[in-house]
Structures are given as structure tokens and as C-alpha cells.
Amino acid sequence: MYAIVYKTDGFPICQQVAGVSPDPVVTWNTEAAAKAFITSKGGEADFQPVQLTDEAMDRIAQAMGCPVESMMFEPYPT
């Protein structure tokens, strides 16, 4: 799985869900699908796909300011 994060701070694209905190991280099944989404929105300068490894999940949790155990994931499209 891949998440899309801001290049500047590593904060991921999330889906807002009422009553859920932190917001679920949106994921894509492949890097190609994540890149295609970035390109379709003209976001190549600001966003990058990141494979969800243990290390990447730790960095994303840090960027979100939450424990990694509290992160939830929502596949795209939702």
C-alpha cells in the first residue's frame, strides 16, 4: 500500500470522518495508482507517494502528531 504525503512535512492525505481522530490516511494499492492520482491533480511539485513500511508509518504518525497505533487507513477510492 502507498500513501501520498506532502513533500515539505510528510503529512499524508487524509479523509475526514466525523467522530474519528486522527483522520484516516488514504491509501492506494500501487505506486503507479498513487502517482496517477497526484498527476491528475497537478500535484507533482507538492506531493509524493510513500510505500507504507514500518519506518514510513512512524514518520507519518510523527507528522500527524499521533501514536502509530492510532492511525487508520482508508483505501482510495472511498
Side-chain angles (χ1 to χ4, degrees), residues 12-57:
I13 294 177
C14 294
Q15 177 180 344
Q16 294 182 335
V17 177
V20 175
S21 181
D23 294 333
V25 175
V26 179
T27 61
W28 285 257
N29 287 330
T30 66
E31 183 178 21
K35 284 183 177 182
F37 182 84
I38 293 168
T39 300
S40 74
K41 304 297 183 189
E44 296 91 344
D46 298 315
F47 296 95
Q48 64 185 359
V50 174
Q51 186 173 17
L52 291 178
T53 62
D54 288 342
E55 183 180 318
M57 287 175 48

Side-chain angles (χ1 to χ4, degrees), residues 10-12 25 55-71:
F11 199 93
V25 175
E55 183 180 318
M57 287 175 48
D58 288 342
R59 287 193 314 266
I60 290 171
Q62 183 178 16
M64 293 176 73
C66 68
V68 72
E69 297 83 14
S70 69
M71 289 187 344

